[in-house]
Amino acid sequence: GAVVSQHPSRVICKSGTSVKIECRSLDFQATTMFWYRQFPKKSLMLMATSNEGSKATYEQGVEKDKFLINHASLTLSTLTVTSAHPEDSSFYICSATLDVYEQYFGPGTRLTVT
Amino acid sequence: ILNVEQSPQSLHVQEGDSTNFTCSFPSSNFYALHWYRWETAKSPEALFVMTLNGDEKKKGRISATLNTKEGYSYLYIKGSQPEDSATYLCAPSGGNKLVFGAGTILRVKS
C-alpha cells in the first residue's frame, strides 16, 4: 500500500512554455502533499506544502507565481512550472502523507528546459 | 532544522561486508528522524521513523539508532548485498516538514 505516482517521469520543454506535473496517491487519501526539488548532487529541498482545498504554503525563496500548486482532491496535487527557463531544469519529486510520521514519495520527474 | 549532514558521501564495499553511515543534525526543535532508501528511477522507500532518544529499529539486515541529545543517527547494514546498492537519505523533522541530508551513496560489489 501507500503508493504515490508522478507523471510525467521525464519532460523536455522549450523556454517560455509551461509544464504541469501530476502527483497522485493511488491507494490512500492524502490531506497533505509536499513538493521537493533536487539540484545536482544536492539534497531534496522542500518547495511547498500542499493541503487539499487550500492554498499551498511555499518555502522561503520559492516563487509562488513561478511554481503553481493545485491540490484539488485528496489524491491529486499538481505542480505547474510557468514560463520555464533553463535554470528551472531539475528533478522534481512529490510526497504524500498519511499521518505526521510517514511521507510516501513518488518516483520523481526530470524536467529539462531547452 | 538546518544543516543536516550525512557521511560518508559515498561508499564502495564488497558483498558480505557490514557498513554504517552517519546522519548529524541540530538537536534543537527535533520531532522525528526518518531514513529512506532510494534506488535509481524508483521512489524513495521509507526505512525507519524514530522519535525517542535511544530508539533502535531493525528491518532484516538493516538497523538504525538515534541520539537526539547529541544530534546523530547511525544506519547499519549487516552483510551487504548488491541489492543494497542505493542512496540512503536521512531527514530529521521539526513537525511534518522533512529536511533532507545529501545522502550516502552505497555501492556493493559482488
Side-chain angles (χ1 to χ4, degrees):
Chain A
V3 178
V4 176
S5 71
Q6 258 184 264
H7 179 79
S9 57
R10 288 180 180 271
V11 59
I12 300 172
C13 70
K14 291 188 177 180
S15 196
T17 61
S18 295
V19 173
K20 182 185 281 187
I21 302 169
E22 291 187 349
C23 176
R24 292 181 185 272
S25 55
L26 297 184
D27 50 3
F28 65 100
Q29 292 185 328
T31 53
T32 304
M33 291 184 171
F34 299 88
W35 286 95
Y36 295 83
R37 179 176 180 175
Q38 185 183 36
F39 293 96
K41 299 189 178 181
K42 298 286 186 182
S43 59
L44 296 175
M45 299 294 293
L46 180 63
M47 298 174 66
T49 303
S50 168
N51 291 296
E52 186 266 337
S54 63
K55 289 184 179 180
T57 303
Y58 291 81
E59 295 299 302
Q60 193 172 11
V62 178
E63 298 177 61
K64 62 180 180 180
D65 294 331
K66 158 69 88 173
F67 300 101
L68 299 179
I69 292 172
N70 184 282
H71 194 154
S73 75
L74 288 172
T75 59
L76 174 65
S77 177
T78 60
L79 168 68
T80 302
V81 182
T82 62
S83 187
H85 288 109
E87 57 264 31
D88 298 325
S89 298
S90 195
F91 186 78
Y92 295 88
I93 191 168
C94 71
S95 71
T97 58
L98 276 172
D99 57 40
V100 69
Y101 289 115
E102 302 284 352
Q103 283 192 30
Y104 298 93
F105 283 83
T109 297
R110 172 73 60 190
L111 170 64
T112 303
V113 184
T114 61
Chain B
I1 293 180
L2 300 172
N3 299 326
V4 180
E5 298 197 1
Q6 288 189 247
S7 63
Q9 191 171 37
S10 65
L11 196 55
H12 291 77
V13 301
Q14 288 294 129
E15 182 176 356
D17 288 349
S18 294
T19 187
N20 64 85
F21 325 132
T22 304
C23 173
S24 301
F25 53 89
S27 54
S28 60
N29 201 31
F30 173 85
Y31 188 74
L33 190 285
H34 303 245
W35 279 100
Y36 284 87
R37 179 174 176 274
W38 195 5
E39 289 183 71
T40 304
K42 294 186 178 180
S43 304
E45 173 197 355
L47 289 174
F48 304 113
V49 180
M50 295 180 287
T51 56
L52 299 176
N53 183 47
D55 259 355
E56 292 187 28
K57 294 219 172 174
K58 188 175 180 181
K59 192 175 186 178
R61 294 179 290 99
I62 305 176
S63 60
T65 61
L66 177 66
N67 183 320
T68 60
K69 293 183 178 179
E70 296 182 40
Y72 65 84
S73 175
Y74 293 139
L75 186 79
Y76 301 92
I77 302 179
K78 185 178 178 181
S80 302
Q81 299 296 308
E83 57 265 30
D84 295 329
S85 297
T87 298
Y88 290 83
L89 301 172
C90 78
S93 66
N96 65 352
K97 290 185 182 181
L98 304 183
V99 179
F100 281 90
T104 292
I105 301 170
L106 174 66
R107 294 289 174 258
V108 183
K109 297 179 184 177
S110 57

